[in-house]
Amino acid sequence: MKEIEPTIQSINEIIYEEDLSHIVDELIGITFKDLNRGNEENVRKQHILDYINYNKIIFQEIYNWLLNHQNNSNSIYLLGYFNYNGIEININIQKAFELYQKASDLKNIVAQLDFANMCIHEMGNENNHNEAFKLSKTLAEKNNPNAVNKLGYCYDHGIGTSIDKEKAFELYQKAADLGNLRGMNNLGRCYENGSGTEINMQKAFELYEKSADSGNSYALNNLGCCYDSGIGTFINKQKAFELFLMAANLGNDIAQYNIALMYEKGEGIEKDLNKAIYWYGKSAAQGDPDAQSKLCKLLEE
């Protein structure tokens, strides 16, 4: 057989393939860190986009590479992530679910975390709830912050198990101690409502504030509610408005409703029905039924 010397083209292809493999692994690392920190979906997506743009990778090229390398759990998961977020392809939740499940079966931890999340919130049925609880419990036993918080949520809402508010509280506390922003916010909610523990408005305020300082939109909204109603602090309508606006701009539908309500009533700010309609519309577009009702009423008037 005649030995074929490597050409410049074949060498570049090898280097290119190795570089993309490294990029995929880096993206998985970024996602894993975001999940454990409790960052929200829009923040996670932006981190992925920023990394790809910073490394000057063409989205179509990495998408094609993922399609052609479905023998690796990281590539399988990331292709699912592209489908879930509509990166270089139309959003396809069912396809994302199937790819997450496939990578999860291969023991990919990032895939297991997102697959469990989909089983709870988007593909909710008894079998999926049971699977979410099982995965969360297994990973929580390894002190994974995201899984600890998720397991707390399962106990809190009876996902794949019986409702146990005290157990949920313990797990939220552990997730918060591990630095999970969602765990902090959930723990604050427990203290505010006396769920699984005694009511402690001061602790609720402090936890919301700590989570909000790191940009969690739910904590920002909850902290706004604290200032709006005097929960663990003095009433400060202007501060409440500022926090609601920050959370609303991050896409939080509850905060969008709250800021629309302030504009409608003119509480702490000048009354402005046009801005109220705008923010009710933002919230309604995300499916908030109260915002949809308010929007219809204001438009009729």
Side-chain angles (χ1 to χ4, degrees):
M1 298 289 292
K2 179 181 178 183
E3 183 175 349
I4 301 176
E5 293 294 325
T7 64
I8 295 297
Q9 180 181 359
S10 65
I11 291 174
N12 285 340
E13 286 174 353
I14 293 170
I15 294 172
Y16 177 67
E17 180 168 319
E18 289 177 349
D19 283 346
L20 281 191
S21 177
H22 173 70
I23 291 293
V24 169
D25 291 343
E26 287 289 322
L27 290 173
I28 295 298
I30 291 169
T31 299
F32 187 61
K33 182 178 179 180
D34 278 343
L35 282 167
N36 287 333
R37 183 167 171 74
N39 286 336
E40 295 170 78
E41 197 62 50
N42 60 334
V43 176
R44 291 176 53 197
K45 180 180 178 180
Q46 192 59 53
H47 286 169
I48 293 292
L49 298 178
D50 288 346
Y51 184 85
I52 293 174
N53 284 323
Y54 178 80
N55 286 277
K56 298 180 181 178
I57 305 296
I58 298 173
F59 284 92
Q60 184 63 51
E61 289 180 349
I62 191 170
Y63 176 75
N64 290 339
W65 191 91
L66 292 172
L67 281 175
N68 293 320
H69 291 81
Q70 287 295 287
N71 57 343
N72 176 278
S73 68
N74 281 349
S75 297
I76 295 168
Y77 164 79
L78 199 57
L79 183 62
Y81 188 86
F82 276 38
N83 275 270
Y84 186 86
N85 287 280
I87 299 175
E88 205 55 41
I89 190 175
N90 292 330
I91 291 174
N92 189 330
I93 300 299
Q94 182 60 43
K95 184 65 175 178
F97 181 78
E98 293 169 1
L99 289 164
Y100 284 170
Q101 184 174 28
K102 184 178 179 181
S104 177
D105 290 341
L106 294 172
K107 308 302 181 185
N108 186 293
I109 296 175
V110 174
Q112 288 174 333
L113 293 171
D114 264 343
F115 178 62
N117 195 58
M118 287 193 74
C119 283
I120 293 172
H121 297 290
E122 292 170 278
M123 300 292 182
N125 58 48
E126 185 176 354
N127 288 336
N128 286 343
H129 282 177
N130 290 338
E131 183 65 19
F133 177 78
K134 178 182 175 182
L135 282 171
S136 298
K137 190 172 187 296
T138 299
L139 294 174
E141 289 171 352
K142 299 176 182 178
N143 288 326
N144 179 279
N146 182 284
V148 172
N149 177 67
K150 205 184 306 291
L151 185 61
Y153 186 88
C154 288
Y155 279 112
D156 199 2
H157 299 275
I159 306 294
T161 187
S162 301
I163 291 176
D164 188 335
K165 296 294 185 179
E166 288 75 20
K167 185 68 173 176
F169 171 79
E170 292 173 7
L171 288 161
Y172 289 151
Q173 178 70 70
K174 184 176 180 181
D177 291 342
L178 290 169
N180 186 274
L181 300 178
R182 295 191 181 194
M184 293 176 200
N185 182 66
N186 288 334
L187 185 63
R189 183 174 48 78
C190 288
Y191 277 118
E192 181 183 351
N193 300 322
S195 179
T197 188
E198 293 182 359
I199 290 176
N200 189 324
M201 296 302 187
Q202 185 60 40
K203 283 189 176 180
F205 175 82
E206 290 170 359
L207 284 160
Y208 290 149
E209 188 174 45
K210 187 174 181 180
S211 183
D213 285 345
S214 296
N216 182 276
S217 73
Y218 290 96
L220 283 165
N221 177 73
N222 288 337
L223 190 61
C225 290
C226 288
Y227 281 108
D228 191 42
S229 304
I231 299 172
T233 188
F234 296 107
I235 291 177
N236 186 332
K237 296 291 185 180
Q238 181 59 39
K239 184 68 173 178
F241 172 79
E242 292 170 4
L243 289 161
F244 287 149
L245 183 60
M246 288 173 66
N249 284 327
L250 289 172
N252 188 289
D253 62 312
I254 304 172
Q256 289 168 347
Y257 175 89
N258 286 335
I259 201 168
L261 191 62
M262 292 188 80
Y263 273 122
E264 181 188 1
K265 294 183 176 181
E267 292 186 349
I269 54 170
E270 186 176 347
K271 186 174 182 177
D272 190 325
L273 291 182
N274 287 328
K275 288 184 178 179
I277 288 171
Y278 171 81
W279 285 111
Y280 279 138
K282 286 282 190 179
S283 182
Q286 296 193 68
D288 188 293
D290 292 329
Q292 291 169 350
S293 177
K294 282 277 192 179
L295 181 63
C296 289
K297 183 179 177 181
L298 284 180
L299 290 174
E300 286 174 2
E301 292 176 353

